[in-house]
Amino acid sequence: MTVGIPKEIKNNESRVGMTPAGVFELVHKDHKVFVQTGAGEGSGFFDEDYKQVGAVILDTIGQVYSMSEMIVKVKEPIEEEYGLIQEGQVIFTYFHFASSEPLTKAMIESGAICIAYETVEDEEGTLPLLTPMSEVAGRMAIQQGAKYLEKPKKGRGVLLGGVPGVPPGRVLVLGAGIVGIQAAKMAAGLGAHVTILDINMKRLRYVNDVMPSHVVTEFSNEYNIRKHVRTHDLIVGGVLVKGAKAPNLITRDMLKTMHPGTVIVDVAVDQGGCVETTRPTTHEDPIYIIDDVVHYSVANMPGAVPYTSTVALTNVTLPYVLALANKGWRKACAEDGSLKKGLNIVEGEVIFKEIIEAFGWDAAMA
Ligand SMILES: NC(=O)c1ccc[n+]([C@@H]2O[C@H](COP(=O)([O-])OP(=O)(O)OC[C@H]3O[C@@H](n4cnc5c(N)ncnc54)[C@H](O)[C@@H]3O)[C@@H](O)[C@H]2O)c1
């Protein structure tokens, strides 16, 4: 198969769909890989690295699309790319169709096979191609939180690890899922005192089993949240209710009860956030302050660490890319139920019914 790796052209996206290690695997299976010049630069992979493992470097994005049977990307195609996509071409990337009707219509019209990373689902019901980005964001939440706790960054002036004779900082983590556990682990590693809340007792039991004793679990309810926000320096929002907006666990009135300079990193911002005062921010302008509380709510946190994010993402996408290239999409999806769940739009037909529901379309229309 011919596989194309275009350069991402969405604003501020430095990740790339495949590393040289992925190209190496494909070339060894006798596939031809076209990489657009400069595609990997933002993630620290250069044309020479790709050439060394057998990729053909092409000058333009148009060449990559026109010469490839399958395109492997990171972000959904943006308007400039719609016209480049060909009938019958496999596009394997994050699509998040429900958030864009124009994108959905363009992909229906293209006649392409759109396989979305975010809906590939394994037997346990987890989303293996989303997990690495939650891992990155959870760990980054502590790195960012520690930075904004510094006084010149408008924080409380607390060092998370403390020093001999001074108690460590206190970190409150809402949600003991992937983001929450990674955040708790990083904070604990720095020596902070960590309180982690969830409504799922299985998750709390797991955290209690695997974390050191300065990570304390508690059940998530309004009473406990009100109690803890007053005494913690850094609060991480990592709550997810599948298919719904994140619940507002921290309400506006609670901000006044916090120490001035408390930092909230609301990772769940992409689902509306679990703090009433959360609004999405960008890496260029990541924070804002309400009632002396620093809010950090960047909607694409992994974008700031493209090397780590690219490698983490391509580690999990590569087995699927190889299956698609070796067997063709029909056979690969027929033999692997997880990959089949990634099929969203196939040759003009919407397969993933939640998309139709999201836009309130008549099922017959799609
Ligand atoms: N901002 C970013 O760049 C970025 C990056 C990756 C993920 N995210 C987002 O982070 C959020 C968390 O992702 P995840 O992968 O950790 O999800 P997850 O499903 O692994 O974990 C969510 C946890 O929230 C818990 N929860 C639900 N209701 C709760 C409540 N009322 N109180 C406490 N806990 C509650 C669940 O029981 C679960 O353990 C998602 O919205 C995800 O989209 C954002």
Side-chain angles (χ1 to χ4, degrees), residues 133-134 137 175-179 197-200 203 220 238-241 247 249 267-271 298-302:
M133 294 305 108
S134 287
I178 294 158
V179 165
L197 311 184
D198 204 300
I199 49 172
N200 181 336
R203 303 300 301 174
S220 175
V239 162
L240 177 68
V241 180
L249 300 183
V267 183
V269 56
D270 58 340
Q271 301 294 331
V298 174
N300 67 330
M301 292 173 69

Side-chain angles (χ1 to χ4, degrees), residues 321-335:
V321 171
L322 283 169
L324 289 164
N326 292 340
K327 302 175 186 174
W329 71 268
R330 279 181 209 279
K331 190 161 186 272
C333 290
E335 290 179 2

Side-chain angles (χ1 to χ4, degrees), residues 17-326:
M18 197 175 293
T19 61
V23 174
F24 177 92
E25 296 282 334
L26 280 169
V27 170
H28 270 73
K29 295 278 181 217
D30 293 330
H31 302 294
K32 194 152 190 107
V33 185
F34 298 115
V35 177
Q36 187 183 346
T37 182
E41 263 174 31
S43 299
F45 302 113
F46 299 95
D47 289 357
E48 201 47 47
D49 303 324
Y50 286 105
K51 260 197 234 168
Q52 272 175 11
V53 291
V56 175
I57 307 294
L58 296 178
D59 288 335
T60 66
I61 192 167
Q63 288 171 317
V64 173
Y65 273 93
S66 68
M67 292 168 73
S68 309
E69 293 160 87
M70 173 162 71
I71 296 289
V72 180
K73 274 172 58 60
V74 179
K75 294 304 279 187
E76 74 282 359
I78 63 168
E79 217 178 319
E80 288 118 279
E81 287 167 295
Y82 293 172
L84 302 174
I85 295 170
Q86 300 163 50
E87 206 176 323
Q89 193 169 42
V90 174
I91 314 284
F92 192 37
T93 193
Y94 286 122
F95 276 104
H96 294 287
F97 277 118
S99 58
S100 172
E101 198 166 354
L103 169 72
T104 307
K105 286 185 171 162
M107 291 307 108
I108 291 172
E109 275 162 32
S110 72
I113 293 94
C114 302
I115 310 179
Y117 291 165
E118 69 274 10
T119 65
V120 171
E121 187 178 328
D122 62 21
E123 303 82 48
E124 288 101 51
T126 60
L127 306 170
L129 306 189
L130 275 184
T131 302
M133 294 305 108
S134 287
E135 289 169 339
V136 170
R139 290 187 175 210
M140 243 186 96
I142 301 303
Q143 198 168 305
Q144 295 302 312
K147 180 168 83 191
Y148 287 104
L149 271 173
E150 292 171 10
K151 200 72 187 171
K153 298 280 183 196
K154 314 269 188 274
R156 238 194 122 191
V158 169
L159 183 65
L160 279 182
V163 287
V166 183
R170 296 171 67 84
V171 178
L172 175 66
V173 180
L174 303 175
I178 294 158
V179 165
I181 286 183
Q182 296 302 322
K185 192 172 167 173
M186 286 290 279
L190 286 174
H193 173 93
V194 182
T195 309
I196 183 162
L197 311 184
D198 204 300
I199 49 172
N200 181 336
M201 281 308 298
K202 271 193 192 161
R203 303 300 301 174
L204 294 182
R205 284 196 183 99
Y206 174 75
V207 172
N208 187 262
D209 276 347
V210 301
M211 294 277 179
S213 58
H214 60 297
V215 177
V216 176
T217 58
E218 266 191 62
F219 197 77
S220 175
N221 54 39
E222 189 178 335
Y223 180 86
N224 281 338
I225 293 170
R226 281 191 181 276
K227 177 178 74 179
H228 288 307
V229 295
R230 285 188 223 128
T231 55
H232 284 69
D233 307 299
L234 168 60
I235 301 170
V236 176
V239 162
L240 177 68
V241 180
K242 249 189 181 174
K245 194 201 159 295
N248 275 337
L249 300 183
I250 296 185
T251 49
R252 167 95 207 216
D253 61 298
M254 291 185 201
L255 299 186
K256 287 207 167 22
T257 70
M258 298 177 188
H259 292 296
T262 298
V263 175
I264 301 178
V265 177
D266 197 352
V267 183
V269 56
D270 58 340
Q271 301 294 331
C274 55
V275 178
E276 191 180 353
T277 42
T278 287
R279 60 172 166 77
T281 60
T282 60
H283 290 295
E284 285 70 49
D285 194 9
I287 62 154
Y288 57 95
I289 295 171
I290 300 177
D291 291 343
D292 293 328
V293 172
V294 179
H295 293 58
Y296 173 103
S297 39
V298 174
N300 67 330
M301 292 173 69
V305 287
Y307 170 77
T308 305
S309 302
T310 290
V311 178
L313 177 64
T314 56
N315 282 343
V316 290
T317 54
L318 185 62
Y320 295 108
V321 171
L322 283 169
L324 289 164
N326 292 340

